[in-house]
Amino acid sequence: MVEAKKLAKRFPGDFLFGVATASFQIEGATKADGRKPSIWDAFSNMPGRVYQGHNGDIACDHYNRLEDDLDLIKSLGVGAYRFSIAWPRIIPEGTGPVNEKGLDFYDRLVDGLKARNIKAFATLYHWDLPLALMGDGGWTARSTAYAYQRYAKTVIARLGDRLDAVATFNEPWCSVWLSHLWGIHAPGERNMDAALRALHFTNLAHGLGVATVREEQPKLPVGIVINPMHVYAGSDSAEDKAAADRAFDFHNGVFFGPVFKGEYPESFLSALGNRMPAIEDGDMATISQKTDWWGVNYYTPMRVSNDPVEGAEYPATVSAKPVSDVKTDIGWEVFPQALGDLIRTVNARYQLPDCYITENGACYNMGVENGAVDDQPRLDYIADHLSVTADLIAEGYPMKGYFAWSLMDNFEWAEGYRMRFGIVHVDYETQVRTIKKSGHWYKELAGKFPKGNHKAE
């Protein structure tokens, strides 16, 4: 086992250790205090969409256990908490009246963090779009980007003076491709044209969000959280290498290109540009406004080969075999070096600001035995990826912090409650929280670093 004390010595004194969650995954209270349904409430209640019909109605009951959960975060010794804000609590219909009780909840959350000397890293959008906006097309409608802009303005006007950093979006790859092309996430579309519209309007909303944060709180560091794929070619063949390049553009370039260069990748536009929605004058300038930081969510590499089917739709790739036979309980290949390869690759291709690892963790489903959870594989996973992060810092990359995913076991989207990523175990019947072995180790590591002296730049 990697000693926390030894690993801590490889990080600068102002490195930020935190934990992360998302609103729909933990809050529950889906009908409380004026909240109205999100697309995930609807999706969860459609037969066959989520494992065994699980939903977010109760989740970890965080909405009703806020103070206890804030004490739990403090007990872990971390310097920051990354959470997301539920749009359906703030503007329940997506547009229209603002719900003060929803804002009050996040007021209590942020004030509670401040009182405990914990940095507040807020995410404005982590997939829970107000269901009412689906009447206009959801993310396939340009109007949703402007509804998002108003929502962002409402949140920042109320909370921005006490936040330490804000992200416009979490993992647009998921809310675009998984949600609109492959139908795995809400709203469950399986249509390339819908996905292309969601892609551009999500990117536009990000840019509008950045502008809104700047207007409301010019000193509040604003960024975006992306889950880029480090793409390995399945072989050294020219066909597979070309496939890997296309996969990079499709999975990464369509977000990094617009945000950090003001353009979509050439290979993507040549293949699918004629099916994109209208890109209006000023859109790309809006999308590519300077950000102060970006977040990387990393779990597993992507390995692809060329799709041999003639006329296969771009990016025309198929999955290639994993290199490592080590897998987490969700079936994802464990390959820590891909995190380093990824950071080096995207920094070589784009002019990127400071970086936080905003999610990293592993799914292992051990239960409580004799009052403890021995999740050694998760501990090893986190330690190995932190070791790679320390290597990147030594190489000069501006890695500023690490947020373990997740603070606690929670609603794991289409997987329901059967997959556990937490460093704290949750008994969903009793809502009892039990810090796992990995959580105790992480506490020892985070405890080596001073609190309250760090701000995203």
Side-chain angles (χ1 to χ4, degrees):
M1 184 170 84
V2 177
E3 279 185 43
K5 196 180 297 183
K6 194 177 288 186
L7 185 58
K9 290 177 180 174
R10 298 180 59 199
F11 289 91
D14 63 351
F15 192 81
L16 190 63
F17 285 96
V19 289
T21 65
S23 51
F24 191 77
Q25 293 183 268
I26 66 167
E27 285 180 0
T30 55
K31 298 176 179 68
D33 294 334
R35 183 191 181 279
K36 290 195 175 177
S38 74
I39 56 173
W40 269 96
D41 293 290
F43 190 75
S44 301
N45 289 312
M46 292 177 186
R49 296 295 202 170
V50 173
Y51 176 75
Q52 291 189 355
H54 293 176
N55 62 45
D57 288 358
I58 299 172
C60 303
D61 198 31
H62 173 70
Y63 190 82
N64 296 309
R65 298 166 186 265
L66 177 62
E67 291 298 322
D68 287 346
D69 283 343
L70 292 175
D71 286 343
L72 173 65
I73 296 166
K74 182 175 174 59
S75 79
L76 290 170
V78 296
Y81 176 47
R82 177 178 171 249
F83 60 96
S84 77
I85 294 167
W87 188 348
R89 290 200 194 281
I90 309 303
I91 304 176
E93 300 277 356
T95 58
V98 173
N99 178 34
E100 291 298 324
K101 286 185 177 178
L103 286 167
D104 289 347
F105 171 74
Y106 295 105
D107 258 337
R108 295 196 301 274
L109 194 165
V110 174
D111 287 346
L113 292 172
K114 298 289 104 177
R116 293 164 176 82
N117 204 21
I118 298 166
K119 299 294 181 191
F121 275 57
T123 300
L124 290 171
Y125 187 77
H126 198 132
W127 312 346
D128 43 0
L129 185 74
L131 181 61
L133 290 177
M134 288 306 295
D136 296 323
W139 283 114
T140 70
R142 188 179 179 94
S143 58
T144 297
Y146 295 98
Y148 169 87
Q149 182 182 31
R150 175 175 175 252
Y151 155 68
K153 182 180 177 70
T154 304
V155 170
I156 299 304
R158 179 70 167 263
L159 305 176
D161 60 330
R162 285 157 291 149
L163 297 177
D164 294 277
V166 63
T168 54
F169 280 81
N170 176 80
E171 296 188 359
W173 181 91
C174 293
S175 52
V176 171
W177 298 136
L178 271 190
S179 299
H180 291 86
L181 180 58
W182 299 311
I184 295 168
H185 280 188
E189 285 276 5
R190 294 186 176 91
N191 182 289
M192 178 64 87
D193 297 291
L196 294 173
R197 292 177 70 86
L199 169 67
H200 185 61
F201 299 142
T202 295
N203 283 336
L204 177 62
H206 156 75
L208 294 169
V210 170
T212 296
V213 174
R214 294 263 190 264
E215 289 163 12
E216 291 292 325
Q217 288 289 337
K219 294 182 179 178
L220 175 60
V222 59
I224 184 171
V225 170
I226 305 176
N227 59 319
M229 309 294 162
H230 189 70
V231 186
Y232 293 105
S235 78
D236 288 332
S237 73
E239 291 81 5
D240 283 357
K241 286 180 177 178
D245 287 340
R246 294 192 302 272
F248 183 94
D249 285 346
F250 184 77
H251 296 288
N252 304 330
V254 296
F255 304 109
F256 281 89
V259 171
F260 297 111
K261 289 176 75 173
E263 62 188 34
Y264 286 98
E266 284 181 26
S267 77
F268 170 80
L269 286 179
S270 64
L272 295 169
N274 63 328
R275 296 167 66 180
M276 288 282 283
I279 298 176
E280 297 184 8
D281 287 350
D283 279 6
M284 300 314 291
T286 296
I287 295 166
S288 60
Q289 289 170 95
K290 186 176 180 295
T291 58
D292 301 296
W293 62 278
W294 75 284
V296 55
N297 292 357
Y298 170 81
Y299 294 94
T300 190
M302 173 177 280
R303 302 184 187 278
V304 302
S305 298
N306 183 57
D307 189 336
V309 176
E310 191 174 337
E313 189 167 59
Y314 181 91
T317 63
V318 293
S319 295
K321 287 182 180 176
V323 168
S324 170
D325 58 6
V326 180
K327 292 183 176 62
T328 64
D329 286 351
I330 205 170
W332 297 349
E333 179 187 3
V334 176
F335 198 72
Q337 75 187 62
L339 172 60
D341 291 342
L342 170 63
I343 295 297
R344 295 179 194 102
T345 298
V346 293
N347 275 278
R349 294 195 185 206
Y350 307 99
Q351 290 285 110
L352 299 177
D354 287 351
C355 180
Y356 291 81
I357 296 175
T358 36
E359 287 182 27
N360 179 243
C363 174
Y364 289 104
N365 298 326
M366 299 83 174
V368 180
E369 293 186 22
N370 301 318
V373 182
D374 185 353
D375 61 337
Q376 185 66 44
R378 177 180 289 107
L379 192 166
D380 293 340
Y381 180 101
I382 292 173
D384 289 345
H385 287 79
L386 278 168
S387 182
V388 170
T389 306
D391 291 342
L392 289 166
I393 293 169
E395 292 171 30
Y397 291 97
M399 312 301 293
K400 299 299 182 182
Y402 177 98
F403 291 78
W405 184 269
S406 175
L407 165 64
M408 59 180 124
D409 299 332
N410 55 45
F411 177 81
E412 191 45 50
W413 307 110
E415 298 289 345
Y417 295 98
R418 69 172 169 169
M419 296 297 172
R420 295 176 177 267
F421 280 83
I423 60 171
V424 175
H425 181 277
V426 177
D427 181 322
Y428 298 116
E429 296 296 317
T430 64
Q431 293 296 337
V432 168
R433 277 73 159 139
T434 303
I435 300 175
K436 302 178 186 180
K437 185 176 184 179
S438 60
H440 288 294
W441 178 89
Y442 195 65
K443 173 182 179 177
E444 186 184 351
L445 176 68
K448 304 293 181 191
F449 292 79
K451 307 296 178 288
N453 66 347
H454 191 287
K455 189 153 180 104
E457 297 294 347

